[in-house]
Amino acid sequence: MKTKKYTFNQLLFKYNKYRAKLDRFRLTNRNTHRQGVLEKHIERLREKLYSLYASIKTVGKVATLATALAIAIPNTADAQIQFAPVVVNPFGLIHLGASSNSELVDLDGDGDLDMMSGEYSGFFYYFENAAGAGNTPVFFAGAQTNPFSLTNIGLLSNSELVDLDGDGDLDMMAGASNGVFNYFENTAGAGNTPVFAAVQINPFSLTDIGYGYGSNSGLVDLDGDGDLDMMAGTSNGNFYYFENITPVSTLPVELLSFSAEPTQAETVALLWKTATEIANDGFEILHSTDAENWRSIGFVKGNGNTNEANTYDFMHKNPASKLNYYKLKQIDFDGQYEYSDIVRVNIKSGLMNTEIIAVYPNPLEDELNIDFEGEINIEVVNITGEVLIKSQEKMINVKTLSSGIYFLRIYSENNELLSTQKVIKN
């Protein structure tokens, strides 16, 4: 059940990001091709959301998010809710002290709802539910104090458990009497027992909301742009709204470039660069010799969620001695995928069996040396194929190059391509 709830939340965020982007394109009457792509994504996501919603019995925050993101999920029960008389400390719970508060969520991945609680002393108390999915809760006797590497944060602790970094596990945002926000990142990964990293104070540009008032928070998408905003309250009666202004990418992975280069060592070097990634599990590398029949030759793990540029590479050993075609199959955590454009490289017979050309050092710092008998012409190109340096010298100054991956193309004096080698600039 835990996996389904996490998948539902992740799909909801993605659904609303696509909707917001599509609305902006329609308002400005631009990018009609991308509008069509987004419409297909939205329709597939809607179908998945309906299917997942029907299979989740305990909706909790999922229902709240569905309402916030305006997903039209049918109401299966029109009867008015009626509560029975209050029961104090049910299901084996115990008295904790003054100002206790609770958060019900499946922390151990067994399908039932456990409880995390804060109270006046500033500790966190964990009540594990031993009943199993679909059963009346049975909490283990006693509470675990500051479990999963949590630490005391001061008086009046309270918690909000939600996946803040998009990796499928539940992180914690906690408030206390000093008015700051305390973030505990869960580093365990989806489906594993939580392991919280050291506390971060006021992360993500959050600010103190007043000493002595006590901060508490709720995280939900309030403005419908697909990310989690925060509403915080204090004992002074005011509410404090922190809008999440993280830039939204158009698609799960924005691919900046994808290239293929033959190398000297009977290998084709594939390099690609992304600008942003959302829920990116990784890239399956596909190869063909006719651009019609494809086979998988490897997989490169992605970076999940990031707004930073990332560079990837894959070495295809022993390609065919003719035209070789390559494309990437980018796969999300939820199994959805996108194909890149196709790149090709022509491996001429004998090209990769020329006499050895030594290139050193590699990785390089300020200069690059080529050891080869005879006249040569040299090009240094980046992963997009842009020629940055041309030279006929066998020692090249590369101080002006930024850190990264480059290709060194070595031609004979008759401009016949002798070798392509991958080099790394520190």
PDB file of all heavy atoms in Angstrom, residues 312-345:
ATOM      1  N   TYR A 312      26.129  12.593 -18.778  1.00  0.00           N
ATOM      2  CA  TYR A 312      26.170  11.128 -18.704  1.00  0.00           C
ATOM      3  C   TYR A 312      26.996  10.601 -19.887  1.00  0.00           C
ATOM      4  O   TYR A 312      27.092  11.254 -20.934  1.00  0.00           O
ATOM      5  CB  TYR A 312      24.771  10.538 -18.801  1.00  0.00           C
ATOM      6  CG  TYR A 312      23.830  10.940 -17.680  1.00  0.00           C
ATOM      7  CD1 TYR A 312      23.062  12.099 -17.783  1.00  0.00           C
ATOM      8  CD2 TYR A 312      23.701  10.161 -16.543  1.00  0.00           C
ATOM      9  CE1 TYR A 312      22.187  12.467 -16.763  1.00  0.00           C
ATOM     10  CE2 TYR A 312      22.826  10.515 -15.532  1.00  0.00           C
ATOM     11  CZ  TYR A 312      22.071  11.667 -15.640  1.00  0.00           C
ATOM     12  OH  TYR A 312      21.216  12.026 -14.634  1.00  0.00           O
ATOM     13  N   ASP A 313      27.549   9.401 -19.713  1.00  0.00           N
ATOM     14  CA  ASP A 313      28.249   8.771 -20.823  1.00  0.00           C
ATOM     15  C   ASP A 313      28.091   7.268 -20.753  1.00  0.00           C
ATOM     16  O   ASP A 313      27.830   6.694 -19.687  1.00  0.00           O
ATOM     17  CB  ASP A 313      29.727   9.161 -20.842  1.00  0.00           C
ATOM     18  CG  ASP A 313      30.490   8.627 -19.642  1.00  0.00           C
ATOM     19  OD1 ASP A 313      30.477   9.286 -18.581  1.00  0.00           O
ATOM     20  OD2 ASP A 313      31.086   7.547 -19.757  1.00  0.00           O
ATOM     21  N   PHE A 314      28.222   6.632 -21.894  1.00  0.00           N
ATOM     22  CA  PHE A 314      28.145   5.174 -22.009  1.00  0.00           C
ATOM     23  C   PHE A 314      29.058   4.764 -23.155  1.00  0.00           C
ATOM     24  O   PHE A 314      29.056   5.389 -24.220  1.00  0.00           O
ATOM     25  CB  PHE A 314      26.716   4.720 -22.281  1.00  0.00           C
ATOM     26  CG  PHE A 314      26.564   3.228 -22.415  1.00  0.00           C
ATOM     27  CD1 PHE A 314      26.438   2.428 -21.289  1.00  0.00           C
ATOM     28  CD2 PHE A 314      26.573   2.620 -23.660  1.00  0.00           C
ATOM     29  CE1 PHE A 314      26.306   1.050 -21.404  1.00  0.00           C
ATOM     30  CE2 PHE A 314      26.443   1.245 -23.787  1.00  0.00           C
ATOM     31  CZ  PHE A 314      26.310   0.460 -22.652  1.00  0.00           C
ATOM     32  N   MET A 315      29.833   3.706 -22.948  1.00  0.00           N
ATOM     33  CA  MET A 315      30.773   3.233 -23.962  1.00  0.00           C
ATOM     34  C   MET A 315      30.241   1.934 -24.579  1.00  0.00           C
ATOM     35  O   MET A 315      30.060   0.931 -23.881  1.00  0.00           O
ATOM     36  CB  MET A 315      32.155   2.998 -23.346  1.00  0.00           C
ATOM     37  CG  MET A 315      32.697   4.181 -22.527  1.00  0.00           C
ATOM     38  SD  MET A 315      32.791   5.721 -23.448  1.00  0.00           S
ATOM     39  CE  MET A 315      34.195   5.368 -24.503  1.00  0.00           C
ATOM     40  N   HIS A 316      29.969   1.975 -25.884  1.00  0.00           N
ATOM     41  CA  HIS A 316      29.508   0.780 -26.606  1.00  0.00           C
ATOM     42  C   HIS A 316      30.711   0.092 -27.236  1.00  0.00           C
ATOM     43  O   HIS A 316      31.315   0.607 -28.188  1.00  0.00           O
ATOM     44  CB  HIS A 316      28.493   1.176 -27.682  1.00  0.00           C
ATOM     45  CG  HIS A 316      27.969   0.001 -28.446  1.00  0.00           C
ATOM     46  ND1 HIS A 316      27.481   0.095 -29.732  1.00  0.00           N
ATOM     47  CD2 HIS A 316      27.845  -1.308 -28.099  1.00  0.00           C
ATOM     48  CE1 HIS A 316      27.085  -1.100 -30.133  1.00  0.00           C
ATOM     49  NE2 HIS A 316      27.306  -1.963 -29.161  1.00  0.00           N
ATOM     50  N   LYS A 317      31.034  -1.071 -26.704  1.00  0.00           N
ATOM     51  CA  LYS A 317      32.198  -1.803 -27.192  1.00  0.00           C
ATOM     52  C   LYS A 317      31.830  -2.663 -28.401  1.00  0.00           C
ATOM     53  O   LYS A 317      30.734  -3.208 -28.491  1.00  0.00           O
ATOM     54  CB  LYS A 317      32.767  -2.681 -26.080  1.00  0.00           C
ATOM     55  CG  LYS A 317      33.290  -1.891 -24.892  1.00  0.00           C
ATOM     56  CD  LYS A 317      33.852  -2.814 -23.816  1.00  0.00           C
ATOM     57  CE  LYS A 317      34.396  -1.998 -22.643  1.00  0.00           C
ATOM     58  NZ  LYS A 317      34.941  -2.880 -21.579  1.00  0.00           N
ATOM     59  N   ASN A 318      32.754  -2.759 -29.332  1.00  0.00           N
ATOM     60  CA  ASN A 318      32.625  -3.594 -30.527  1.00  0.00           C
ATOM     61  C   ASN A 318      31.364  -3.291 -31.342  1.00  0.00           C
ATOM     62  O   ASN A 318      30.542  -4.178 -31.610  1.00  0.00           O
ATOM     63  CB  ASN A 318      32.644  -5.080 -30.143  1.00  0.00           C
ATOM     64  CG  ASN A 318      33.910  -5.477 -29.418  1.00  0.00           C
ATOM     65  OD1 ASN A 318      35.008  -5.119 -29.849  1.00  0.00           O
ATOM     66  ND2 ASN A 318      33.767  -6.197 -28.315  1.00  0.00           N
ATOM     67  N   PRO A 319      31.180  -2.057 -31.767  1.00  0.00           N
ATOM     68  CA  PRO A 319      30.047  -1.745 -32.638  1.00  0.00           C
ATOM     69  C   PRO A 319      30.246  -2.362 -34.022  1.00  0.00           C
ATOM     70  O   PRO A 319      31.341  -2.831 -34.365  1.00  0.00           O
ATOM     71  CB  PRO A 319      30.077  -0.219 -32.702  1.00  0.00           C
ATOM     72  CG  PRO A 319      31.516   0.125 -32.496  1.00  0.00           C
ATOM     73  CD  PRO A 319      32.049  -0.889 -31.524  1.00  0.00           C
ATOM     74  N   ALA A 320      29.191  -2.328 -34.830  1.00  0.00           N
ATOM     75  CA  ALA A 320      29.282  -2.879 -36.180  1.00  0.00           C
ATOM     76  C   ALA A 320      30.164  -1.996 -37.054  1.00  0.00           C
ATOM     77  O   ALA A 320      30.224  -0.780 -36.873  1.00  0.00           O
ATOM     78  CB  ALA A 320      27.890  -2.995 -36.784  1.00  0.00           C
ATOM     79  N   SER A 321      30.842  -2.610 -38.019  1.00  0.00           N
ATOM     80  CA  SER A 321      31.718  -1.859 -38.932  1.00  0.00           C
ATOM     81  C   SER A 321      30.901  -1.283 -40.080  1.00  0.00           C
ATOM     82  O   SER A 321      31.111  -1.601 -41.261  1.00  0.00           O
ATOM     83  CB  SER A 321      32.828  -2.770 -39.461  1.00  0.00           C
ATOM     84  OG  SER A 321      33.674  -3.177 -38.414  1.00  0.00           O
ATOM     85  N   LYS A 322      29.927  -0.472 -39.712  1.00  0.00           N
ATOM     86  CA  LYS A 322      29.063   0.214 -40.679  1.00  0.00           C
ATOM     87  C   LYS A 322      28.286   1.272 -39.889  1.00  0.00           C
ATOM     88  O   LYS A 322      28.731   1.705 -38.834  1.00  0.00           O
ATOM     89  CB  LYS A 322      28.119  -0.779 -41.352  1.00  0.00           C
ATOM     90  CG  LYS A 322      27.288  -1.633 -40.406  1.00  0.00           C
ATOM     91  CD  LYS A 322      26.411  -2.601 -41.176  1.00  0.00           C
ATOM     92  CE  LYS A 322      25.626  -3.524 -40.267  1.00  0.00           C
ATOM     93  NZ  LYS A 322      24.747  -4.452 -41.042  1.00  0.00           N
ATOM     94  N   LEU A 323      27.159   1.690 -40.399  1.00  0.00           N
ATOM     95  CA  LEU A 323      26.358   2.671 -39.680  1.00  0.00           C
ATOM     96  C   LEU A 323      25.780   2.065 -38.392  1.00  0.00           C
ATOM     97  O   LEU A 323      25.210   0.970 -38.414  1.00  0.00           O
ATOM     98  CB  LEU A 323      25.221   3.186 -40.561  1.00  0.00           C
ATOM     99  CG  LEU A 323      25.568   4.316 -41.534  1.00  0.00           C
ATOM    100  CD1 LEU A 323      24.385   4.603 -42.451  1.00  0.00           C
ATOM    101  CD2 LEU A 323      25.947   5.578 -40.767  1.00  0.00           C
ATOM    102  N   ASN A 324      25.934   2.785 -37.294  1.00  0.00           N
ATOM    103  CA  ASN A 324      25.375   2.390 -36.010  1.00  0.00           C
ATOM    104  C   ASN A 324      24.436   3.503 -35.548  1.00  0.00           C
ATOM    105  O   ASN A 324      24.800   4.688 -35.568  1.00  0.00           O
ATOM    106  CB  ASN A 324      26.477   2.199 -34.976  1.00  0.00           C
ATOM    107  CG  ASN A 324      27.341   0.981 -35.268  1.00  0.00           C
ATOM    108  OD1 ASN A 324      27.164  -0.079 -34.692  1.00  0.00           O
ATOM    109  ND2 ASN A 324      28.309   1.140 -36.183  1.00  0.00           N
ATOM    110  N   TYR A 325      23.234   3.123 -35.133  1.00  0.00           N
ATOM    111  CA  TYR A 325      22.231   4.081 -34.684  1.00  0.00           C
ATOM    112  C   TYR A 325      22.001   3.902 -33.179  1.00  0.00           C
ATOM    113  O   TYR A 325      21.988   2.766 -32.663  1.00  0.00           O
ATOM    114  CB  TYR A 325      20.905   3.865 -35.416  1.00  0.00           C
ATOM    115  CG  TYR A 325      20.989   4.042 -36.908  1.00  0.00           C
ATOM    116  CD1 TYR A 325      21.340   2.977 -37.731  1.00  0.00           C
ATOM    117  CD2 TYR A 325      20.719   5.273 -37.502  1.00  0.00           C
ATOM    118  CE1 TYR A 325      21.412   3.126 -39.108  1.00  0.00           C
ATOM    119  CE2 TYR A 325      20.781   5.436 -38.888  1.00  0.00           C
ATOM    120  CZ  TYR A 325      21.132   4.359 -39.675  1.00  0.00           C
ATOM    121  OH  TYR A 325      21.212   4.506 -41.038  1.00  0.00           O
ATOM    122  N   TYR A 326      21.785   5.027 -32.490  1.00  0.00           N
ATOM    123  CA  TYR A 326      21.568   4.980 -31.046  1.00  0.00           C
ATOM    124  C   TYR A 326      20.424   5.920 -30.661  1.00  0.00           C
ATOM    125  O   TYR A 326      20.232   6.975 -31.272  1.00  0.00           O
ATOM    126  CB  TYR A 326      22.827   5.415 -30.291  1.00  0.00           C
ATOM    127  CG  TYR A 326      24.034   4.567 -30.575  1.00  0.00           C
ATOM    128  CD1 TYR A 326      24.927   4.911 -31.598  1.00  0.00           C
ATOM    129  CD2 TYR A 326      24.302   3.418 -29.836  1.00  0.00           C
ATOM    130  CE1 TYR A 326      26.040   4.144 -31.861  1.00  0.00           C
ATOM    131  CE2 TYR A 326      25.415   2.639 -30.097  1.00  0.00           C
ATOM    132  CZ  TYR A 326      26.279   3.008 -31.120  1.00  0.00           C
ATOM    133  OH  TYR A 326      27.388   2.234 -31.381  1.00  0.00           O
ATOM    134  N   LYS A 327      19.673   5.529 -29.626  1.00  0.00           N
ATOM    135  CA  LYS A 327      18.696   6.430 -29.007  1.00  0.00           C
ATOM    136  C   LYS A 327      18.580   6.079 -27.531  1.00  0.00           C
ATOM    137  O   LYS A 327      18.922   4.959 -27.107  1.00  0.00           O
ATOM    138  CB  LYS A 327      17.334   6.365 -29.699  1.00  0.00           C
ATOM    139  CG  LYS A 327      16.594   5.042 -29.611  1.00  0.00           C
ATOM    140  CD  LYS A 327      15.260   5.129 -30.352  1.00  0.00           C
ATOM    141  CE  LYS A 327      14.515   3.790 -30.327  1.00  0.00           C
ATOM    142  NZ  LYS A 327      13.216   3.859 -31.047  1.00  0.00           N
ATOM    143  N   LEU A 328      18.096   7.041 -26.756  1.00  0.00           N
ATOM    144  CA  LEU A 328      17.918   6.863 -25.320  1.00  0.00           C
ATOM    145  C   LEU A 328      16.446   6.656 -25.004  1.00  0.00           C
ATOM    146  O   LEU A 328      15.574   7.322 -25.573  1.00  0.00           O
ATOM    147  CB  LEU A 328      18.418   8.102 -24.561  1.00  0.00           C
ATOM    148  CG  LEU A 328      19.875   8.492 -24.773  1.00  0.00           C
ATOM    149  CD1 LEU A 328      20.157   9.819 -24.080  1.00  0.00           C
ATOM    150  CD2 LEU A 328      20.810   7.411 -24.268  1.00  0.00           C
ATOM    151  N   LYS A 329      16.184   5.752 -24.105  1.00  0.00           N
ATOM    152  CA  LYS A 329      14.836   5.567 -23.551  1.00  0.00           C
ATOM    153  C   LYS A 329      14.890   6.045 -22.102  1.00  0.00           C
ATOM    154  O   LYS A 329      15.390   5.355 -21.225  1.00  0.00           O
ATOM    155  CB  LYS A 329      14.414   4.106 -23.624  1.00  0.00           C
ATOM    156  CG  LYS A 329      13.009   3.840 -23.095  1.00  0.00           C
ATOM    157  CD  LYS A 329      12.661   2.350 -23.214  1.00  0.00           C
ATOM    158  CE  LYS A 329      11.257   2.062 -22.702  1.00  0.00           C
ATOM    159  NZ  LYS A 329      10.927   0.608 -22.806  1.00  0.00           N
ATOM    160  N   GLN A 330      14.412   7.264 -21.870  1.00  0.00           N
ATOM    161  CA  GLN A 330      14.432   7.838 -20.521  1.00  0.00           C
ATOM    162  C   GLN A 330      13.226   7.327 -19.759  1.00  0.00           C
ATOM    163  O   GLN A 330      12.088   7.471 -20.187  1.00  0.00           O
ATOM    164  CB  GLN A 330      14.433   9.360 -20.590  1.00  0.00           C
ATOM    165  CG  GLN A 330      14.510  10.052 -19.236  1.00  0.00           C
ATOM    166  CD  GLN A 330      13.143  10.252 -18.612  1.00  0.00           C
ATOM    167  OE1 GLN A 330      12.219  10.704 -19.265  1.00  0.00           O
ATOM    168  NE2 GLN A 330      13.016   9.897 -17.347  1.00  0.00           N
ATOM    169  N   ILE A 331      13.457   6.720 -18.578  1.00  0.00           N
ATOM    170  CA  ILE A 331      12.407   6.041 -17.823  1.00  0.00           C
ATOM    171  C   ILE A 331      12.205   6.739 -16.480  1.00  0.00           C
ATOM    172  O   ILE A 331      13.158   6.974 -15.737  1.00  0.00           O
ATOM    173  CB  ILE A 331      12.761   4.558 -17.598  1.00  0.00           C
ATOM    174  CG1 ILE A 331      13.035   3.870 -18.946  1.00  0.00           C
ATOM    175  CG2 ILE A 331      11.632   3.846 -16.852  1.00  0.00           C
ATOM    176  CD1 ILE A 331      13.584   2.464 -18.818  1.00  0.00           C
ATOM    177  N   ASP A 332      10.932   7.063 -16.152  1.00  0.00           N
ATOM    178  CA  ASP A 332      10.594   7.664 -14.867  1.00  0.00           C
ATOM    179  C   ASP A 332      10.466   6.587 -13.802  1.00  0.00           C
ATOM    180  O   ASP A 332      10.364   5.391 -14.095  1.00  0.00           O
ATOM    181  CB  ASP A 332       9.263   8.419 -14.952  1.00  0.00           C
ATOM    182  CG  ASP A 332       9.371   9.694 -15.774  1.00  0.00           C
ATOM    183  OD1 ASP A 332      10.500  10.032 -16.164  1.00  0.00           O
ATOM    184  OD2 ASP A 332       8.341  10.329 -16.010  1.00  0.00           O
ATOM    185  N   PHE A 333      10.414   7.013 -12.524  1.00  0.00           N
ATOM    186  CA  PHE A 333      10.231   6.067 -11.422  1.00  0.00           C
ATOM    187  C   PHE A 333       8.918   5.300 -11.555  1.00  0.00           C
ATOM    188  O   PHE A 333       8.803   4.161 -11.093  1.00  0.00           O
ATOM    189  CB  PHE A 333      10.243   6.804 -10.076  1.00  0.00           C
ATOM    190  CG  PHE A 333      11.601   7.284  -9.662  1.00  0.00           C
ATOM    191  CD1 PHE A 333      11.793   8.575  -9.218  1.00  0.00           C
ATOM    192  CD2 PHE A 333      12.699   6.440  -9.710  1.00  0.00           C
ATOM    193  CE1 PHE A 333      13.040   9.021  -8.834  1.00  0.00           C
ATOM    194  CE2 PHE A 333      13.956   6.870  -9.323  1.00  0.00           C
ATOM    195  CZ  PHE A 333      14.126   8.164  -8.888  1.00  0.00           C
ATOM    196  N   ASP A 334       7.894   5.932 -12.175  1.00  0.00           N
ATOM    197  CA  ASP A 334       6.593   5.274 -12.292  1.00  0.00           C
ATOM    198  C   ASP A 334       6.473   4.425 -13.556  1.00  0.00           C
ATOM    199  O   ASP A 334       5.404   3.905 -13.863  1.00  0.00           O
ATOM    200  CB  ASP A 334       5.461   6.298 -12.244  1.00  0.00           C
ATOM    201  CG  ASP A 334       5.527   7.328 -13.364  1.00  0.00           C
ATOM    202  OD1 ASP A 334       6.283   7.090 -14.336  1.00  0.00           O
ATOM    203  OD2 ASP A 334       4.845   8.360 -13.283  1.00  0.00           O
ATOM    204  N   GLY A 335       7.554   4.286 -14.319  1.00  0.00           N
ATOM    205  CA  GLY A 335       7.549   3.418 -15.493  1.00  0.00           C
ATOM    206  C   GLY A 335       7.275   4.131 -16.803  1.00  0.00           C
ATOM    207  O   GLY A 335       7.430   3.535 -17.879  1.00  0.00           O
ATOM    208  N   GLN A 336       6.824   5.384 -16.757  1.00  0.00           N
ATOM    209  CA  GLN A 336       6.628   6.119 -18.004  1.00  0.00           C
ATOM    210  C   GLN A 336       7.988   6.391 -18.655  1.00  0.00           C
ATOM    211  O   GLN A 336       9.007   6.467 -17.981  1.00  0.00           O
ATOM    212  CB  GLN A 336       5.903   7.436 -17.738  1.00  0.00           C
ATOM    213  CG  GLN A 336       4.455   7.254 -17.335  1.00  0.00           C
ATOM    214  CD  GLN A 336       3.699   8.563 -17.425  1.00  0.00           C
ATOM    215  OE1 GLN A 336       3.117   8.907 -18.454  1.00  0.00           O
ATOM    216  NE2 GLN A 336       3.702   9.312 -16.341  1.00  0.00           N
ATOM    217  N   TYR A 337       7.967   6.562 -19.983  1.00  0.00           N
ATOM    218  CA  TYR A 337       9.235   6.735 -20.669  1.00  0.00           C
ATOM    219  C   TYR A 337       9.088   7.652 -21.879  1.00  0.00           C
ATOM    220  O   TYR A 337       7.998   7.873 -22.399  1.00  0.00           O
ATOM    221  CB  TYR A 337       9.813   5.388 -21.104  1.00  0.00           C
ATOM    222  CG  TYR A 337       8.906   4.568 -21.995  1.00  0.00           C
ATOM    223  CD1 TYR A 337       8.919   4.749 -23.383  1.00  0.00           C
ATOM    224  CD2 TYR A 337       8.045   3.622 -21.447  1.00  0.00           C
ATOM    225  CE1 TYR A 337       8.091   4.009 -24.202  1.00  0.00           C
ATOM    226  CE2 TYR A 337       7.210   2.873 -22.263  1.00  0.00           C
ATOM    227  CZ  TYR A 337       7.228   3.066 -23.637  1.00  0.00           C
ATOM    228  OH  TYR A 337       6.401   2.337 -24.444  1.00  0.00           O
ATOM    229  N   GLU A 338      10.227   8.200 -22.300  1.00  0.00           N
ATOM    230  CA  GLU A 338      10.325   9.047 -23.485  1.00  0.00           C
ATOM    231  C   GLU A 338      11.562   8.624 -24.270  1.00  0.00           C
ATOM    232  O   GLU A 338      12.564   8.211 -23.681  1.00  0.00           O
ATOM    233  CB  GLU A 338      10.481  10.524 -23.085  1.00  0.00           C
ATOM    234  CG  GLU A 338       9.250  11.133 -22.430  1.00  0.00           C
ATOM    235  CD  GLU A 338       8.289  11.688 -23.456  1.00  0.00           C
ATOM    236  OE1 GLU A 338       8.675  11.862 -24.616  1.00  0.00           O
ATOM    237  OE2 GLU A 338       7.139  11.931 -23.080  1.00  0.00           O
ATOM    238  N   TYR A 339      11.482   8.715 -25.600  1.00  0.00           N
ATOM    239  CA  TYR A 339      12.644   8.422 -26.441  1.00  0.00           C
ATOM    240  C   TYR A 339      13.327   9.718 -26.858  1.00  0.00           C
ATOM    241  O   TYR A 339      12.680  10.738 -27.112  1.00  0.00           O
ATOM    242  CB  TYR A 339      12.233   7.647 -27.688  1.00  0.00           C
ATOM    243  CG  TYR A 339      11.810   6.228 -27.416  1.00  0.00           C
ATOM    244  CD1 TYR A 339      10.471   5.858 -27.530  1.00  0.00           C
ATOM    245  CD2 TYR A 339      12.739   5.255 -27.056  1.00  0.00           C
ATOM    246  CE1 TYR A 339      10.066   4.550 -27.297  1.00  0.00           C
ATOM    247  CE2 TYR A 339      12.341   3.947 -26.812  1.00  0.00           C
ATOM    248  CZ  TYR A 339      11.009   3.598 -26.936  1.00  0.00           C
ATOM    249  OH  TYR A 339      10.615   2.322 -26.689  1.00  0.00           O
ATOM    250  N   SER A 340      14.635   9.665 -26.950  1.00  0.00           N
ATOM    251  CA  SER A 340      15.395  10.789 -27.477  1.00  0.00           C
ATOM    252  C   SER A 340      15.382  10.743 -29.005  1.00  0.00           C
ATOM    253  O   SER A 340      14.891   9.782 -29.618  1.00  0.00           O
ATOM    254  CB  SER A 340      16.842  10.726 -26.984  1.00  0.00           C
ATOM    255  OG  SER A 340      17.530   9.663 -27.640  1.00  0.00           O
ATOM    256  N   ASP A 341      15.962  11.763 -29.618  1.00  0.00           N
ATOM    257  CA  ASP A 341      16.229  11.694 -31.050  1.00  0.00           C
ATOM    258  C   ASP A 341      17.292  10.626 -31.307  1.00  0.00           C
ATOM    259  O   ASP A 341      18.038  10.229 -30.410  1.00  0.00           O
ATOM    260  CB  ASP A 341      16.725  13.046 -31.564  1.00  0.00           C
ATOM    261  CG  ASP A 341      15.640  14.113 -31.513  1.00  0.00           C
ATOM    262  OD1 ASP A 341      14.450  13.743 -31.543  1.00  0.00           O
ATOM    263  OD2 ASP A 341      15.994  15.303 -31.429  1.00  0.00           O
ATOM    264  N   ILE A 342      17.361  10.194 -32.558  1.00  0.00           N
ATOM    265  CA  ILE A 342      18.338   9.173 -32.950  1.00  0.00           C
ATOM    266  C   ILE A 342      19.635   9.848 -33.398  1.00  0.00           C
ATOM    267  O   ILE A 342      19.610  10.847 -34.122  1.00  0.00           O
ATOM    268  CB  ILE A 342      17.778   8.301 -34.091  1.00  0.00           C
ATOM    269  CG1 ILE A 342      16.544   7.519 -33.600  1.00  0.00           C
ATOM    270  CG2 ILE A 342      18.840   7.332 -34.617  1.00  0.00           C
ATOM    271  CD1 ILE A 342      15.813   6.781 -34.708  1.00  0.00           C
ATOM    272  N   VAL A 343      20.769   9.312 -32.936  1.00  0.00           N
ATOM    273  CA  VAL A 343      22.071   9.749 -33.444  1.00  0.00           C
ATOM    274  C   VAL A 343      22.727   8.559 -34.136  1.00  0.00           C
ATOM    275  O   VAL A 343      22.406   7.401 -33.849  1.00  0.00           O
ATOM    276  CB  VAL A 343      22.978  10.280 -32.312  1.00  0.00           C
ATOM    277  CG1 VAL A 343      22.366  11.513 -31.674  1.00  0.00           C
ATOM    278  CG2 VAL A 343      23.255   9.210 -31.269  1.00  0.00           C
ATOM    279  N   ARG A 344      23.621   8.847 -35.060  1.00  0.00           N
ATOM    280  CA  ARG A 344      24.286   7.752 -35.774  1.00  0.00           C
ATOM    281  C   ARG A 344      25.763   8.043 -35.919  1.00  0.00           C
ATOM    282  O   ARG A 344      26.208   9.191 -35.878  1.00  0.00           O
ATOM    283  CB  ARG A 344      23.650   7.529 -37.140  1.00  0.00           C
ATOM    284  CG  ARG A 344      23.913   8.634 -38.141  1.00  0.00           C
ATOM    285  CD  ARG A 344      23.277   8.309 -39.481  1.00  0.00           C
ATOM    286  NE  ARG A 344      23.677   9.266 -40.511  1.00  0.00           N
ATOM    287  CZ  ARG A 344      23.328   9.171 -41.785  1.00  0.00           C
ATOM    288  NH1 ARG A 344      22.561   8.159 -42.177  1.00  0.00           N
ATOM    289  NH2 ARG A 344      23.747  10.069 -42.657  1.00  0.00           N
ATOM    290  N   VAL A 345      26.519   6.978 -36.089  1.00  0.00           N
ATOM    291  CA  VAL A 345      27.962   7.102 -36.312  1.00  0.00           C
ATOM    292  C   VAL A 345      28.366   6.009 -37.299  1.00  0.00           C
ATOM    293  O   VAL A 345      27.905   4.870 -37.220  1.00  0.00           O
ATOM    294  CB  VAL A 345      28.741   6.984 -34.978  1.00  0.00           C
ATOM    295  CG1 VAL A 345      28.483   5.658 -34.300  1.00  0.00           C
ATOM    296  CG2 VAL A 345      30.218   7.189 -35.199  1.00  0.00           C
TER     297      VAL A 345
END
